[in-house]
Amino acid sequence: MVSEHITGAYDDELRDLVGRIAEMGGLAEGLVSDAVTALAKFDIAKAQDVIFRDHKLDEMQRQIEERAISVIARRQPVAKDLREIIAALRVSADLERVGDLAKNIAKRVIAIQDQFHTKRLAFGVEHISEITLEQLKAVLDAYTAQDLEAARAVRNRDDEIDAMYTSLFRELLTYMMEDPRNITVCTHLLFCAKNIERIGDHATNIAENIHFMITGEQLEEDRPKHDESSYIPASYNTDE
Amino acid sequence: MSAVAVAANDKAFETVRTPDPEPRPIKIKASDVSVFYGEKQALFDVSIDIPERAVTAFIGPSGCGKSTFLRCFNRMNDTIDICRVTGEMLVSDANIYDPRLDVVELRARVGMVFQKPNPFPKSIWDNIAYGPKIHGLAKTKAEFDVIVEESLQKAGLWNEVKDRLHEPGTGLSGGQQQRLCIARAVAVSPEVILMDEPCSALDPIATAKVEELIDELRENYTIVIVTHSMQQAARVSQRTAFFHLGILVEEGPTNVLFTSPKEKRTQDYITGRFG
């Protein structure tokens, strides 16, 4: 915030919202990181912990929403103040979804726990997770620092995750064709990869909201997209 | 400023952008208007295009010059001896500071509503008929009756007062008195209606009625409103201009000015960071 409002309580309320988003961001990041670790190490206890902690994220989102609505109703915010509140509402919704996706990964870790060979199969998923976690961390830092450049960088990097997801899709398909006993595990892993790719999309959404919060402009949907898995035909054959 | 940019591109048909999809023609064009009270300069080189049949709001802290500027639009500042206005002010492309101009006729074309409702100490009917009478707009009582009814209809007051047209206007409630003053301004068929804080003496219900009325009137009239309530400016206007210390800091479509103002001073004022 550049300068203070005449009404000090208004500043406190806006700061409180930003602080809560930062806290929620830290929690969401932790959930994703733990879910991915649980997947890499097939750590059931960690997976269960992720599922448990997701409730907290839902509760925090509800509180942010209530407070944001209350500020709007009582103070009729305009300009940058309004944009900060709208961004807080949208970012908290994205973070809540990120938590849900992490929880879903954790559930799948529990589901595939005793399958053989899974460590080799899960290797590709770990790699996409690393980049996605970096993106999530970068965008949350950009939010706290109100860093427009950092937010733009996150938005531009999302196609890397999309491209990686498409190649992972093909890879997992190959494993399934090699040995039908892999199908259950690979399907779970495919969903895990999709969840992680979606987390990357939420990071992009947050980056777009940071852009809106700082500049007042809504970004157009002109970002390059490299998730082409939707176009892989049913006749896809690994021999080709 | 966008209006000026548009104007530069198309001299023959100058327009102003509002939140409406189509830009509006210019009704009032002020160029480098400065106002002096004796030695003291109150307004500094203000240039602005006011769109036709739309509401333009002037906002800014007390003493910023917004009312002074508004009063230039129908030469109300002429009534102050030490007041001097420089620059150019065109209403419908005609210079209103032309010495040959009939000021009384100008004030019929550019009507005004003040902060405090100021009905004449006469009947409701006389309040409305007075203007048309001095401007010779009607002759017979039947003609005046038509003007009175139409004006009160337009001001949304007809149903409330039709059975007591001959009671004094001062007997109405504050909100009704203000709408009576608006009806009085409308009665002489003006092109422009200036409003100087028309709701600051009214309660929220009366304010809402006046705002509703302003929204209806903009179909037929160009309205310029000075208001201390930023929420009111946001609610009723299509364009907003922000004044500070006698300078026009920023003006633009209201939705843009209230979501992404360009100037820091505008941002600080509308978000309540200085007074």
Side-chain angles (χ1 to χ4, degrees):
Chain A
M1 250 159 285
V2 193
S3 50
E4 305 269 296
H5 285 94
I6 297 161
T7 328
Y10 192 0
D11 284 323
D12 295 343
E13 286 170 16
L14 289 177
R15 264 196 289 270
D16 174 69
L17 269 182
V18 173
R20 277 165 189 274
I21 293 288
E23 195 187 335
M24 215 184 148
L27 196 61
E29 202 185 316
L31 282 184
V32 176
S33 150
D34 285 356
V36 168
T37 313
L39 178 65
K41 299 189 174 152
F42 289 95
D43 184 338
I44 305 300
K46 200 161 223 135
Q48 275 162 341
D49 186 45
V50 168
I51 295 168
F52 176 73
R53 271 149 63 207
D54 179 57
H55 294 299
K56 171 87 174 128
L57 211 54
D58 297 350
E59 176 55 28
M60 287 181 76
Q61 194 226 348
R62 244 194 317 279
Q63 286 174 1
I64 287 173
E65 218 165 80
E66 271 172 23
R67 276 160 196 263
I69 289 169
S70 159
V71 177
I72 293 171
R74 288 180 295 108
R75 305 217 183 259
Q76 292 93 43
V78 292
K80 180 86 194 293
D81 298 339
L82 177 64
R83 302 202 304 265
E84 266 180 24
I85 293 166
I86 297 299
L89 277 171
R90 290 179 180 164
V91 171
S92 73
D94 276 317
L95 291 173
E96 190 269 331
R97 285 297 298 146
V98 166
D100 288 349
L101 293 165
K103 182 169 81 173
N104 187 268
I105 294 172
K107 281 182 179 168
R108 290 179 192 279
V109 171
I110 295 169
I112 53 182
Q113 50 181 308
D114 51 3
Q115 302 279 335
F116 67 106
H117 271 354
T118 35
K119 288 213 166 144
R120 180 178 69 94
L121 301 184
F123 184 73
V125 182
E126 278 177 55
H127 192 49
I128 191 175
S129 312
E130 274 168 32
I131 295 193
T132 307
L133 260 173
E134 277 172 29
Q135 286 277 83
L136 191 59
K137 188 174 179 331
V139 85
L140 290 169
D141 289 345
Y143 176 81
T144 320
Q146 302 226 359
D147 186 339
L148 193 58
E149 277 313 307
R152 278 202 190 118
V154 168
R155 186 174 189 259
N156 291 335
R157 205 185 167 192
D158 189 57
D159 56 340
E160 231 174 279
I161 296 178
D162 291 347
M164 210 177 279
Y165 172 69
T166 308
S167 88
L168 202 55
F169 185 97
R170 291 176 199 270
E171 191 186 327
L172 289 168
L173 220 52
T174 312
Y175 295 147
M176 291 191 235
M177 287 172 180
E178 274 173 15
D179 184 348
R181 285 175 298 173
N182 284 337
I183 288 178
T184 311
V185 181
C186 285
T187 307
H188 278 305
L189 288 175
L190 197 55
F191 274 111
C192 287
K194 185 66 194 167
N195 285 345
I196 290 162
E197 186 269 332
R198 289 294 299 151
I199 291 171
D201 288 347
H202 286 293
T204 309
N205 279 353
I206 295 172
E208 286 170 2
N209 275 308
I210 294 170
H211 185 277
F212 167 72
M213 177 170 80
I214 297 171
T215 66
E217 294 160 18
Q218 306 263 19
L219 284 169
E220 302 285 323
E221 254 310 309
D222 60 353
R223 198 161 56 76
K225 287 259 158 75
H226 287 100
D227 172 9
E228 284 151 9
S229 64
S230 325
Y231 305 111
I232 294 174
S235 60
Y236 176 72
N237 191 331
T238 51
D239 298 338
E240 278 173 11
Chain B
M1 247 136 271
S2 65
V4 177
V6 170
N9 289 338
D10 187 359
K11 264 284 174 200
F13 183 66
E14 295 181 320
T15 57
V16 186
R17 279 252 164 238
T18 69
D20 296 338
E22 289 299 312
R24 308 205 63 83
I26 295 171
K27 184 69 187 177
I28 304 173
K29 189 174 186 63
S31 312
D32 298 322
V33 171
S34 294
V35 177
F36 302 81
Y37 291 113
E39 292 297 300
K40 192 182 177 307
Q41 187 165 0
L43 207 62
F44 297 82
D45 303 321
V46 174
S47 299
I48 190 172
D49 294 336
I50 306 288
E52 183 179 79
R53 284 180 289 118
V55 181
T56 302
F58 292 170
I59 59 170
S62 296
C64 69
K66 56 191 189 298
S67 291
T68 297
F69 187 50
L70 186 79
R71 293 160 65 90
C72 294
F73 288 31
N74 66 349
R75 292 181 56 175
M76 286 293 281
N77 289 323
D78 288 11
T79 57
I80 303 167
D81 283 341
I82 56 164
C83 182
R84 189 161 57 84
V85 179
T86 64
E88 191 181 54
M89 179 83 81
L90 306 178
V91 175
S92 305
D93 295 324
N95 178 14
I96 61 163
Y97 282 89
D98 186 326
R100 291 163 297 178
L101 183 106
D102 177 356
V103 178
V104 175
E105 189 261 349
L106 170 71
R107 290 184 192 144
R109 280 166 52 211
V110 183
M112 193 151 188
V113 176
F114 297 87
Q115 181 173 0
K116 229 176 131 236
N118 56 352
F120 303 133
K122 291 167 176 276
S123 73
I124 293 167
W125 194 93
D126 283 327
N127 262 281
I128 308 292
Y130 181 79
K133 204 177 285 173
I134 61 167
H135 289 290
L137 299 181
K139 290 189 183 72
T140 66
K141 172 155 188 316
E143 282 174 359
F144 279 113
D145 279 342
V146 170
I147 291 179
V148 169
E149 178 173 348
E150 274 180 6
S151 305
L152 288 168
Q153 289 278 15
K154 282 181 189 160
L157 197 58
W158 176 248
N159 287 333
E160 292 162 57
V161 301
K162 63 180 179 208
D163 300 323
R164 44 176 174 148
L165 291 175
H166 296 284
E167 289 173 25
T170 47
L172 297 171
S173 74
Q176 288 172 327
Q177 285 188 24
Q178 194 60 305
R179 281 182 285 142
L180 177 64
C181 292
I182 293 172
R184 191 175 65 188
V186 166
V188 292
S189 305
E191 298 160 35
V192 180
I193 302 175
L194 309 176
M195 300 187 175
D196 194 352
E197 293 182 46
C199 298
S200 55
L202 305 183
D203 76 13
I205 306 277
T207 298
K209 284 186 183 166
V210 171
E211 287 179 2
E212 167 78 9
L213 174 58
I214 290 171
D215 203 49
E216 285 166 13
L217 290 175
R218 82 176 158 100
E219 289 209 0
N220 298 307
Y221 307 96
T222 299
I223 295 171
V224 187
I225 177 170
V226 163
T227 174
H228 266 139
S229 159
M230 279 169 295
Q231 277 76 36
Q232 180 168 64
R235 284 191 300 260
V236 304
S237 74
Q238 284 73 55
R239 274 184 89 84
T240 300
F242 168 60
F243 291 81
H244 186 228
L245 301 174
I247 291 164
L248 172 60
V249 175
E250 183 171 357
E251 59 112 6
T254 299
N255 54 343
V256 177
L257 196 108
F258 280 97
T259 52
S260 340
K262 289 181 191 68
E263 297 288 330
K264 183 171 181 305
R265 275 175 296 173
T266 316
Q267 161 90 20
D268 283 352
Y269 181 69
I270 64 174
T271 57
R273 286 184 166 86
F274 72 74

